[in-house]
Amino acid sequence: MAVSGAVPSVKRPQEELVLVTINENDDARGIIQFNVTRTSQGVVEVYEGIEMMRLPLSRARGRYRDVSVSWQAIPDSASAQDFQPHSGEVHFLDGQGEATIDIKIIDDTLPEYHESFSVQLLEAKGGAELGKDRYVVINILKNDSPNGHFGFADMQKSVLESEKAGDPNGVVHFDVVRSQGSQGDVLVSWELDNAAAADLQPLGGNLTFKEGETLKRITLQTLPDNTLEGEEHFTLALVSVTNNADISPTRGKATVVIQANHGASGVIAILPGYRSVIIAEPSTDYDGTANIVIGRGVGRYAVITVTWQLTPRDAEFVEASGTVTLDDLQENATIVIQAVDDLKPEQRQVYTLSLVSVTGGAVISTIGGGNKARVTMAASDYPHGLFQFGEPEKVYVPEDAPQLSVPVMRDQGTVGQVVVQYNTVQATAIADVDFRQVSGTLTFGPGEDRQNILIAIQQDQDPEGDEEFVIKLSSVQLIIPANNNYTKIIAGQSLDMPPAMGLMTNKTIVIERNDNAEGTIEFAAEAINFIVREESDVAYIPVIRRGGTFGRVGVTYTSRSITARPNGIDYYLDDGELIFSDGVAMATINVSLVDDAEREVDESLEIMLMRVSGGAKLGALQVAMVTIPQSDYPYGKIGFSGPTAIIIPNPSAARALTFTMQRNEGLTGRQTVRWRLLGPNSDTPVDSTEDISYRNTIPRGMITFEEEELGFHDIELVVNPYTGPEVEKRFILVAYNVKGRPGSAEISPTAGNVTLTVLKHGHPNGIVKFVGSALQPLNVVEPSRNDVPIHLTLPISRREGTAGTIEVHWRVESLNSDTADIEPYEGVTVIRDGERNGQIVVKVLPDDIGEMEEKFTVLLTGVEGGAELDTRDNRSFFTIKANDDPHGVFSISTEAQSVIVTPDLKRQVHLNFTRHQGAFGLVRVTYNIVYNQGRFTQQNSRRRKAQRGVTYVPRSGSVMFQNGQQEVIDNIDITSDVQLDLESYFSINLTDVTYLGVDETIPPRLQPGKTVALAYVPQQAANSQVGFLHSMVTANEITNEAILTINRWGSYGEVETSWVSGLPRGALPKGLTMGIVSPQADRVIMYNGVSSVNVSVMLLPKSSSAEVFAAQVVAVNARTGGPAQVRQDSSIVKVDPYGVVQFAPQSRDVSITEEDGELKLSVHRAYGSFGRIRVSYQTWESTATSNHDYESIANGVLIMDQGVILATISVNIRADTEPETDEVFYVNITKVEIVPTPSRNDVSPRVSQLSAVAMVTILGSNDAYGVLSFRTPETSVRESNDGTTRTALLQIQRKGGVHGRIQATVRTIGGGEPWQNSTIRNSERTGLTEAMASVHTARATAGDQFDYLPISHTIVFEPGEEVKTVDITILDDPFPEPDEVFFCLHY
């Protein structure tokens, strides 16, 4: 690094780099050791039949580069002939972590007992290290027995479970084979594992092999049972042999497999609770998944795989199909479907998840819809729109603009009709002054994505800067469709998504500055003649900005010296610019002043304003005169020498005092100064010699200092003696009015006056104390709340002197009360000069707060004005007696009482007693309580008595109020299992109140009219009356699903409710049939505290039948908590009983020609057909024009009687001769109502949200796109005869309509063109072949060496274009030829 400022350089090129290598570390090439599994004896066991033994090696830590390890096998009881090889080397490749040492165990025929050898790792190579586990012992188990080696011939067999005892299909045989030697007799014992006890027999046995025998059989029989079981596996083992024989280590065990029972793999169905699920796109709090749980019923055996799929298949799910696997014994599995988070606005959509196939022996249920689930995808991405203002966030408009149009955008979806509410809010712009305040709504129809708000801008003549107001979008409301479901279901999301407001719901409108908004700049009036002393250091010269203060403006200035010297001698000020920020109306030009020691006379300078910027104007006051008055006393400083404050006692004899006036600093000129005495105790000149005299006259005079005189002049004053008690008096001796030539001296600012204080004599101002009634203790009764305060008057007096006005300070204190009961609690009483007596007035304030006796002390705390306080009579006492029921007034109110349910489901009456007024002492309140059925109201004052013989609560009780306690709670247990009706009540009556203390002053009492209260039984504590919450509900038009809400009035305890579909017997109107509801019946359980349960049903309507869909609650069973019953007035619910009016499917998208003349549309009444209804409809024009293309209908009406489900709307179509393309208009069903109109509207009847609009297309007519033809059917052209080409111009004209963009192909034909045959064959034009055949003139030949150039062109007519021209090139040749012809075709 360069430290001297030079640039470093490279002295030896190519050597400016260094290669840094970090060496291998942390056992990068690994630690190699055995990784074998040993027996409890620490050895590895093998047998001869294994052929190849593999000993695992591991390479721990690093695996870098190729390494190897050498090993050696060491014989022990096993000889070198029992295994091979005996040594070797194992290689690990770069990155390899595991390897094996492979040793072959030699299988001979010699009978051998246990033999062993060992394997040892010798050396790691290639940089690796050996680990701790380097040595392993191998045991070769006993083998080649001469008495036999016993094992099973088959390692596994399967068998069916017996259907009955002795079933031959339940028998299985296992052969035991004796290999190697067969000497001697051997007894072989076998057994089944204990788990087979209930499934197989026998569970064990013996086989006797005689010498030379090599095969025996074990026969097993399966046992029948009634348990559905899957495939079962049991172990059959040879457990012992005699005569020193061996059991094969590999074939000494076999497996018995009992095959699964039929149906054991299960019947696959979607669990009932998952047959209707809701899913939504992912959000911050929701992952966008839904779970559908499938079960396999009773059979749970074997591994099965179920395939599922979603329909309709679209891109809304991550996977529209898939599989789920259930392991053996697994009862349930979950299908997880994942919604795609896209940005498409989408309404609610219903999908079906179907179970389509299953493996593993299971079957899919087809009962009760168990193989399908209804998946409802919630709406997303605002299908009804996201409403906000467009960019920019601020709009600037001049004040003289008459009107402003602000667009409101509808982003995302444009489905439905939405109303947006807006209003303006003033900011710096004032409503109805700067702009016209507006508020209102915008209505967006289907597909409409933009509306405008119009605002008037108002002009004035006031200078104004930029002013702002705001347009706010305050709310949005969906009008159509009107039946969206916004109930929160998933992580705050609902099935349907309402329209919403976007991020930019506020638009700021800026009315640009106007009317001299920047203002006029000039000096302030006080700056025109500005005086500033040299000692001020800085002179702040004010510059003002009149009128507007908008924006940042500036003014330049310069200065001119008059007598003051610039450049730091007397002042310093450079030319510059003064800046006014936005909104600033005043600034200062700052002149730096030089405070020197030089004696100077008045000096001055001028400051001039020059040019303004930023749009401001320059005013009239453009010049300021700045004067620096004389400094450093050029003509002298005059003042008094010595102390400036003198205090003397009041003399008993006349006393002379001498005061000296002196002149210092500058001595130029003769100076005359006047002096005078001010006082006593005022700033007015003394006008008598009563207290002080000067040469026996009034103390005042004049002193003259001559030119260059630096001296002293004495003033002798005489203080007269006291003649009696006198107050303290203050006098001021002042110098003033200096005059001189050529200039005047100045009075010293610190020594220009002297204060003389003559102390008082005696007690002229008096000694203050309480007198009269104030010295006797007073007892006061506190006034009532509505009375006026009581005034306590406490007299005070001053003895001895009464001179001067004095102020007596006092304060009220209390040991057992605060001072809130009186006012003021401190104050000042004034006794005027010459007066002896005064009074302290304390107000005792009225209130209605209960209080015990309160004692107060009034203290005199101080006095101003020279008086003193008496040392004895400076306190006064008074007492406020006990008042306002200090022990309390007791009441009970209905609002504070309740009936509650505890966490352990006990019911209690929650009593709340209140103590008003005072809260002193211990008080007992007693009460009675009784239960009444039926709500007590003014209209129903008759009370239904409770059931006789039933004890609901104890009939009486009492509560204790402790000292200071104002509220007491008492919870009374209600007898279990009694019936409490909703809004029945307990009546509580206060009977007595007793004070239990010793200092009773005013006895406690009960508050009149507040001794009785009612505790109503609420929803959560009442026994249940169960019915439907609504008498009418609506169906989902897409899914035919309806939600029935079973409600209970009173949610205490647990109830089971049974409901069935249909109406009660005899309730179905004549001519109507009962619609099918699935399920047709069910039961629901409502647990304690649950007030309602939603039941989802599916309607199966028949479009050709007049139906009624209904359900009824038929029974209620109370499982806990006392009795329950059906609520008869709410036991029935009907689904859309008056119908959903819609266009029939064939009438929703209709095409018609003008010639048809009349359009007929079928109106269908879906679901219910109760009652007589009136259907209103109207036409809406789109591209078809009303009363031109069709006859407009503004207020069409249809009447549909009860049971009528179809009606017809007719619209006349008008024919004309104009060429027209397809034109569209709509017919809207706008309203449906019951006839006669009921007093209260309900959910039925209603207009369909899906099919209330019919789109009618009037098909194009009168050749709307035109008819093409050649303008002349024949044309002639000559060859040039000079070797050049000529052109034949053919015009194709478009007659009739000229709508749209059309194209046609133009081809020559007849001259041997390559397309001639196919064109003739494929042409649909009639007469083409005949026309060619009818012309007998010689044919021209197409080609560049013949008569004309063939063409095959596409011509395009744009909308409105009527003529196109095609050029055909005619060639010249030297051959004599007759007339030759060819054809030109367009199609």
Side-chain angles (χ1 to χ4, degrees), residues 1278-1290:
R1278 293 178 179 273
E1279 289 186 2
S1280 64
N1281 295 324
D1282 60 3
T1284 62
T1285 61
R1286 302 191 72 175
T1287 301
L1289 300 178
L1290 303 180

Side-chain angles (χ1 to χ4, degrees), residues 990-1253:
L990 303 186
T991 58
D992 193 19
V993 58
T994 305
Y995 177 63
L996 302 179
V998 296
D999 297 325
E1000 181 180 50
T1001 53
I1002 300 174
R1005 60 189 175 89
L1006 299 178
Q1007 184 175 354
K1010 295 288 186 179
T1011 59
V1012 177
L1014 306 180
Y1016 286 101
V1017 178
Q1019 171 77 7
Q1020 64 268 25
N1023 292 88
S1024 299
Q1025 292 186 352
V1026 183
F1028 289 106
L1029 181 62
H1030 306 289
S1031 61
M1032 296 183 193
V1033 297
T1034 61
N1036 185 306
E1037 297 178 59
I1038 299 174
T1039 63
N1040 289 332
E1041 179 189 28
I1043 303 299
L1044 313 181
T1045 301
I1046 297 178
N1047 191 70
R1048 58 171 172 166
W1049 289 262
S1051 60
Y1052 179 67
E1054 183 178 311
V1055 299
E1056 181 181 70
T1057 301
S1058 298
W1059 64 271
V1060 298
S1061 63
L1063 294 172
R1065 185 183 301 273
L1068 181 65
K1070 185 178 180 181
L1072 303 183
T1073 60
M1074 190 60 64
I1076 298 174
V1077 176
S1078 178
Q1080 296 183 344
D1082 203 354
R1083 289 179 296 177
V1084 296
I1085 296 175
M1086 286 184 277
Y1087 297 98
N1088 180 70
V1090 176
S1091 295
S1092 63
V1093 173
N1094 287 338
V1095 175
S1096 175
V1097 298
M1098 188 73 68
L1099 310 185
L1100 303 175
K1102 300 175 183 176
S1103 60
S1104 59
S1105 299
E1107 298 176 298
V1108 175
F1109 294 91
Q1112 55 180 315
V1113 173
V1114 293
V1116 178
N1117 176 34
R1119 302 172 70 166
T1120 61
Q1125 59 191 17
V1126 177
R1127 180 163 173 156
Q1128 295 303 323
D1129 61 352
S1130 301
S1131 62
I1132 298 174
V1133 61
K1134 301 183 185 74
V1135 183
D1136 281 310
Y1138 293 94
V1140 177
V1141 180
Q1142 60 187 3
F1143 284 106
Q1146 69 273 17
S1147 294
R1148 295 171 189 170
D1149 189 350
V1150 180
S1151 296
I1152 192 170
T1153 66
E1154 287 184 351
E1155 291 75 17
D1156 291 333
E1158 184 180 29
L1159 168 70
K1160 290 186 179 296
L1161 300 173
S1162 294
V1163 176
H1164 180 236
R1165 187 180 186 183
Y1167 305 123
S1169 52
F1170 262 105
R1172 194 167 190 253
I1173 62 172
R1174 178 191 297 116
V1175 180
S1176 301
Y1177 61 92
Q1178 65 184 42
T1179 57
W1180 286 78
E1181 70 176 32
S1182 179
T1183 53
T1185 304
S1186 61
N1187 296 323
H1188 176 75
D1189 297 306
Y1190 65 93
E1191 290 185 7
S1192 175
I1193 300 174
N1195 297 294
V1197 172
L1198 288 176
I1199 299 295
M1200 302 179 76
D1201 291 321
Q1202 179 166 296
V1204 175
I1205 61 174
L1206 284 175
T1208 301
I1209 294 174
S1210 296
V1211 182
N1212 289 328
I1213 307 300
R1214 294 184 174 180
D1216 55 36
T1217 59
E1218 298 176 14
E1220 296 170 311
T1221 58
D1222 289 355
E1223 297 174 310
V1224 174
F1225 70 97
Y1226 298 92
V1227 182
N1228 287 14
I1229 299 174
T1230 58
K1231 185 179 181 183
V1232 59
E1233 54 192 339
I1234 299 172
V1235 179
T1237 303
S1239 59
R1240 183 177 68 89
N1241 292 329
D1242 212 321
V1243 297
S1244 183
R1246 61 189 176 97
V1247 177
S1248 169
Q1249 298 299 317
L1250 301 177
S1251 305
V1253 178

